Amino acid sequence: MKILITGNMGYIGPVVVRHLRARYPDSHLVGYDAGYFAHCLTTPDGLPERLLTEQVFGDIRFIADKVFEDVDAVVHLAAVSNDPMGTRFEEPTDAINFRASVRVAEQARDAGVRNFVFASSCSIYGFAEGGPRRETDALNPLTAYARSKIATEEALRQVDLGGMSVTCLRFATACGMSDRLRLDLVLNDFVAGAIATGEISVLSDGTPWRPLIDVTDMARAIDWAIRRDPGNGGAFLAVNAGSNSWNYQVSELAQAVADAIPGTRVSINKDAPPDKRSYRVDFGLFRSLAPDHQPQMTLVESVGRIRDGLMAIGFADPDYRKSDRIRLQVLDRHMSAGRLSTDLRWQEQLAA
Ligand SMILES: NC(=O)c1ccc[n+]([C@@H]2O[C@H](COP(=O)([O-])OP(=O)(O)OC[C@H]3O[C@@H](n4cnc5c(N)ncnc54)[C@H](O)[C@@H]3O)[C@@H](O)[C@H]2O)c1
């Protein structure tokens, strides 16, 4: 089996590649990434790309047809991947997350790819009171990032898929350890704060609901989607990916981290304005379609792995919210050093 993984050099990608390599030792795994965060390693174990058969450096806005030759499945992760970056880089977010993603799917279809997996997001539900959101419920995108995910899903729903199955996995907010750990995600941020400062500072009043999924469980869901038969869910499928037992309030997440790291203080901002992003999600459809690929991690295990992973690299930076563990900071640094253009293209390539 030949699998193309775009955006493999980010946070989730290395975990997906490790999972696929273990599950399919003889597979031909190709990574394709612009490398914005290639240097942001959080592992003592060397470059995670060593598990690939091939690494291609490139921008999905200009990906060549030949990259899709003989590919059986595409895992499309490449994106401007969170709200703060999407707000800052609104035009490239639309160009990369939406327009290029649809083109990538069409190129895959034309090359005879059987399964295309799109990393969508539960953030498309936005602020949603009144019970967990199902796939058929109204969407309420609050940001450019969420809008880009919806636009892509809609285009993929309408495009002629040929013989290709498309699975849009609406992932809950990611958490967990990775060879390129991010600290701009709620649970990861809490663990880092507890280790580096002995304090978890909750920016909201702690009440917002946030469904989470560990990165290893994301890889399990992707493993299901790359082999999904169209008879199971249809040729096009958009499905919430996560678990009902992982709908947590932010204050519960903080408490779980404090329990795992003794001595941690939890400071909740009781005066914070209401957080606009609060939603619970119903993962029942995913459970019924993918009973053998359900999330297996517990919150305690996930917290433990982040803690142990950070300890293993001697993490102790109290200013981590300004560090290269925060994606927007990395892009900013590339830009102020003249390496990246405002539309997120490498300047050296533009000049060549
Ligand atoms: N992290 C989450 O909570 C979460 C939740 C739901 C969905 N997702 C989605 O999962 C995917 C992966 O997320 P992540 O957390 O690993 O993100 P990430 O930002 O850590 O990694 C994204 C990767 O895509 C690459 N990339 C970005 N633009 C590119 C371009 N134009 N050409 C080639 N490569 C490009 C980056 O270099 C990076 O390595 C994204 O699509 C994201 O929207 C993430």
Side-chain angles (χ1 to χ4, degrees), residues 6-14 32-38 56-62 76-82 85 92 95-97 100-101 118-123 145 148-149 169-175 178 180 182 184-185 213 215 218 222 277 327 331 343-344 346:
T6 72
N8 67 293
M9 302 181 87
Y11 168 52
I12 297 163
Y32 188 97
D33 200 299
Y36 299 149
F37 312 104
V56 183
F57 285 100
D59 188 316
I60 58 155
R61 287 170 286 189
F62 313 102
H76 182 46
L77 302 174
V80 179
S81 62
N82 67 16
M85 288 190 289
I96 295 169
N97 295 16
S101 291
F118 174 60
S120 189
S121 166
C122 284
S123 69
Y145 170 70
S148 75
K149 294 292 183 185
L169 294 170
R170 293 179 177 174
F171 283 120
T173 298
C175 63
S178 158
R180 289 193 181 84
R182 310 300 193 204
D184 47 20
L185 292 156
I213 182 170
V215 278
M218 291 174 118
I222 287 169
R277 221 181 121 187
R327 283 168 278 204
L331 294 185
D343 64 351
L344 299 181
W346 293 116

Side-chain angles (χ1 to χ4, degrees), residues 48-110:
E49 286 66 50
R50 71 187 183 281
L51 298 177
L52 292 165
T53 316
E54 249 177 280
Q55 176 69 55
V56 183
F57 285 100
D59 188 316
I60 58 155
R61 287 170 286 189
F62 313 102
I63 188 170
D65 290 339
K66 67 174 183 328
V67 178
F68 297 88
E69 266 170 26
D70 301 322
V71 169
D72 298 294
V74 174
V75 179
H76 182 46
L77 302 174
V80 179
S81 62
N82 67 16
D83 289 337
M85 288 190 289
T87 303
R88 177 74 177 281
F89 303 108
E90 205 162 329
E91 204 291 320
T93 296
D94 183 66
I96 295 169
N97 295 16
F98 166 46
R99 284 179 276 141
S101 291
V102 177
R103 223 172 17 252
V104 166
E106 288 170 340
Q107 285 173 284
R109 172 203 62 199
D110 293 346

Side-chain angles (χ1 to χ4, degrees), residues 185-197:
L185 292 156
V186 60
L187 189 69
N188 303 359
D189 169 75
F190 287 175
V191 178
I195 292 175
T197 68

